[in-house]
Amino acid sequence: MKKFIPTIVVLLMSIAGGAQNGYLPATGNIDARNKFQDNKFGIFLHWGIYSMLGEGEWVMNNRNINYIEYSKLAGGFYPSKFNADEWVKAIKTAGAKYITITARHHDGFSMFGTKSDGYNIVDATPFGRDVLKELATACRREGISLHFYYSHLDWHRLDYPLGRTGRWLGRPANRQDWRSYYAFMNKQLTELLTGYGPIGAIWFDGFWDHDSDDKPFDWQLGKQYELIHKLQPACLIGNNHHEVPFEGEDIQIFERDLPGENKAGYSGKNGISALPLETCETMSRCWGYNITDSLYKTSKELIHLIVRAAGRNANLLLNIGPQPDGQLPAAAAQRLGEIGKWMSTYGETIYGTRGGIIAPHEWGVSTQKGNKLYVHILNLQDKGLFLPVDNSKITNAVMFNNHTKVNFTRSKYGITIELPSVPKDIDCVVELTVK
Ligand code: JFZ
C-alpha cells in the first residue's frame, strides 16, 4: 500500500472514481442505512477455491501461480460438508445480524452460478451447487441480511486491465479490454442483484490495484453504482478503497482499524465521514482459510472489538475463512458460541445504539439508545471512574447486569461513579439514565 500519494493525485482519483452528479439516496436506502447501523455486528466470509491451498486468498498472487494451473483447482473443489443452514445458525447464535461473503475474490473465481463466465462453482466444479443461492435461502429463513463482497480486480480474466498485483501469473498482456471487463462486472452485479433476493450491501474491493498508474485510472464507478441502486435502491454500496467515501457510496469501510485509528497503515487518508461506518477485522490472522494460522483472538478480545467499534459508532464485520470441506474452523465456531453467550445478555447495550456522548477512552467506550447511556468499562484497575458528562443530565446509575445501584458524585466537569469492586468482567456495563 502506498502511504504517501500526493493530495492532488488522490483528488483526481476521487473525481475519476466517484463522478456521479448529485446522488440522492432513495428513502428505502436511508432506512437501510439506519437498519445497518442498528445491526452493529456482521460476519465476513472469505471462501473460494484458494481454501484448498490453505494459504489465504492471496496465494495465487503471492506464489505466482500460473492462471491456467490455478484454475485446475476448480476441478477438485467438492466442499462435501457445506451446509448453509448450519453456517447461518452458528452465525445467528453469535448475535451477528448479517453475513458478507465473497461472491468473487481477486482470483476471479465466482462462487455463484453466473452465466457471465464459466469459471464458477456451478459450472467448473464437481460440487455444482450455487452456495450463494443456498446461503440466500438460509439467511432469509433466519432473518439474517446477506451482503456480497465483489472484487473489482481480477487475476484470471484476460480482459482485466493489469494493475500492480497479479503481474506474474502468465496472462498474455495483449488481451486487456476495459470495456469488455466492465460489461462483464455489470452483468455479474445484475445477476447478484436479481437472482438472490434483497441484498443488504455490495462490498467492493480492489480499487487500489490501480493506485500506482501513471495517470488516474477511471473505474467508472458512478455508472456502476447507479446500476446497483436502480436494481435495488436499498442495497448499500461500500468500497474498500481506504479513502473518504466517493459519491454514490452509502457506507464507509475501514480495514483492520477502528475509525480514527491507523495501526494497520491503510487508514492514513481515511477521514471519518457522516455515513454509516464499518470496520472489518479477522478472527485469526488471515482472511481466507490458512492451514497454519492458529493464532485466533480470544473471545474477550473479539467482544472488546465489537464494543469498541460500537462506541465509535461503527459496525464490526468479523471475518472467518471456511475450510475447503465447507465447514467453519472449529476455533471460529467456538468463538461464535462465546460471543453469542455474551451478546444474549449484553446485546441490548449494543444493537440499535449509536456511539455515546462520552468519547472513547483507554478504559472503554460509551453507547447510547433513547435515554440510556451505556458505559462499557473494558480496562480499569480501579473502583472509581470519572466520566466527562453534563452532571445535571444524569438522573440514575445502575449496573446493567443486575440493576444494583451505582453511587456517583457530581462535579463541575462530570460525575465520578463508584463501582462495587474493581471490574473483572469482559465488559462491566454501567447504565446511566439521561434526562
Ligand atoms: C483486501 C483484500 O485484498 C483482502 O484479500 C481481503 O479481502 C481484505 C478484506 O481486503 O485487503 C487489501 C486491501 C488493500 C491492499 C491490500 C489488501 N493494498 O492496498 O495493497
Side-chain angles (χ1 to χ4, degrees):
M1 185 63 201
K2 291 226 310 201
K3 279 187 201 141
F4 302 107
I5 297 173
T7 320
I8 184 73
V9 177
V10 172
L11 204 74
L12 282 172
M13 285 193 341
S14 308
I15 294 165
Q20 182 186 3
N21 285 328
Y23 166 54
L24 277 179
T27 325
N29 186 284
I30 300 288
D31 293 344
R33 290 181 189 186
N34 287 325
K35 176 88 198 319
F36 173 77
Q37 285 189 292
D38 289 346
N39 282 345
K40 278 290 168 304
F41 174 39
I43 290 294
F44 210 172
L45 296 173
H46 274 74
W47 199 37
I49 54 176
Y50 45 77
S51 62
M52 283 188 282
L53 298 181
E55 272 188 39
E57 77 289 356
W58 272 67
V59 59
M60 182 183 186
N61 174 84
N62 295 352
R63 294 251 191 177
N64 292 330
I65 301 173
N66 176 278
Y67 77 109
I68 294 169
E69 291 305 315
Y70 183 92
S71 69
K72 293 176 188 168
L73 287 172
F77 192 55
Y78 197 96
S80 61
K81 293 182 177 152
F82 173 74
N83 181 325
D85 285 326
E86 280 175 17
W87 280 16
V88 173
K89 281 195 182 120
I91 288 167
K92 185 178 176 175
T93 308
K97 303 293 187 193
Y98 60 100
I99 293 174
T100 307
I101 183 160
T102 46
R104 178 172 138 278
H105 206 271
H106 309 333
D107 70 349
F109 187 79
S110 297
M111 291 296 278
F112 62 105
T114 176
K115 298 270 177 290
S116 318
D117 188 327
Y119 193 45
N120 72 73
I121 189 161
V122 172
D123 297 315
T125 77
F127 195 55
R129 280 159 53 185
D130 186 336
V131 295
L132 295 197
K133 200 144 265 175
E134 294 181 25
L135 264 177
T137 306
C139 282
R140 202 166 316 128
R141 188 180 309 134
E142 295 294 332
I144 295 289
S145 171
L146 184 63
H147 302 190
F148 290 138
Y149 170 109
Y150 191 83
S151 174
H152 271 131
L153 89 86
D154 192 298
W155 293 330
H156 177 82
R157 287 180 62 100
L158 305 183
D159 56 1
Y160 174 70
L162 214 56
R164 66 169 157 87
T165 68
R167 300 188 75 88
W168 311 104
L169 311 178
R171 285 175 295 175
N174 59 358
R175 302 272 300 277
Q176 299 172 34
D177 180 348
W178 167 252
R179 281 180 57 175
S180 150
Y181 181 70
Y182 186 64
F184 153 75
M185 285 196 292
N186 292 337
K187 248 174 93 179
Q188 281 211 317
L189 289 164
T190 304
E191 292 177 309
L192 289 169
L193 289 161
T194 52
Y196 297 82
I199 297 307
I202 299 288
W203 205 102
F204 284 113
D205 193 15
F207 178 88
W208 36 264
D209 198 36
H210 281 284
D211 63 12
S212 306
D213 292 10
D214 293 335
K215 38 181 200 340
F217 185 84
D218 185 1
W219 287 97
Q220 295 183 256
L221 294 179
K223 268 175 66 189
Q224 192 164 66
Y225 291 173
E226 268 174 33
L227 169 71
I228 293 168
H229 284 140
K230 193 178 85 203
L231 293 170
Q232 290 201 24
C235 178
L236 305 180
I237 296 176
N239 191 327
N240 189 31
H241 47 48
H242 303 154
E243 294 175 35
V244 174
F246 303 158
E247 190 157 10
E249 295 172 7
D250 304 299
I251 62 171
Q252 181 172 7
I253 293 170
F254 297 80
E255 184 176 339
R256 289 192 191 273
D257 266 316
L258 296 173
E261 295 180 340
N262 187 21
K263 292 184 201 147
Y266 294 131
S267 306
K269 296 179 276 157
N270 225 342
I272 299 172
S273 75
L275 294 179
L277 312 175
E278 179 185 66
T279 282
C280 57
E281 191 37 288
T282 51
M283 255 198 205
S284 57
R285 271 177 299 183
C286 307
W287 300 101
Y289 176 66
N290 187 312
I291 201 161
T292 57
D293 179 11
S294 55
L295 206 79
Y296 276 69
K297 296 174 185 69
T298 63
S299 304
K300 180 176 169 175
E301 287 171 321
L302 295 172
I303 291 164
H304 280 194
L305 269 176
I306 297 173
V307 175
R308 287 194 192 277
R312 282 169 180 77
N313 208 29
N315 289 15
L316 183 75
L317 181 61
L318 182 60
N319 183 74
I320 297 173
Q323 296 169 172
D325 67 359
Q327 287 193 311
L328 305 179
Q334 191 265 344
R335 303 300 189 278
L336 288 179
E338 304 233 308
I339 294 171
K341 250 186 261 160
W342 186 86
M343 279 295 213
S344 63
T345 305
Y346 292 95
E348 197 184 322
T349 71
I350 301 291
Y351 303 123
T353 65
R354 297 295 181 267
I357 48 173
I358 302 171
H361 283 77
E362 245 327 282
W363 55 258
V365 298
S366 70
T367 56
Q368 202 164 343
K369 183 163 54 180
N371 68 340
K372 299 293 183 217
L373 177 62
Y374 302 105
V375 179
H376 297 263
I377 304 167
L378 305 171
N379 175 27
L380 183 73
Q381 267 52 261
D382 202 342
K383 289 205 291 190
L385 179 63
F386 172 75
L387 301 171
V389 280
D390 178 352
N391 81 66
S392 68
K393 292 230 165 92
I394 308 298
T395 57
N396 194 31
V398 296
M399 297 298 294
F400 173 79
N401 58 4
N402 57 20
H403 278 85
T404 55
K405 213 162 171 58
V406 174
N407 291 325
F408 63 93
T409 53
R410 300 171 196 271
S411 59
K412 191 166 172 200
Y413 297 107
I415 64 171
T416 300
I417 55 174
E418 196 60 39
L419 300 165
S421 56
V422 175
K424 277 200 280 301
D425 293 348
I426 291 178
D427 178 6
C428 167
V429 184
V430 176
E431 179 190 298
L432 303 180
T433 306
V434 187
K435 235 193 324 210

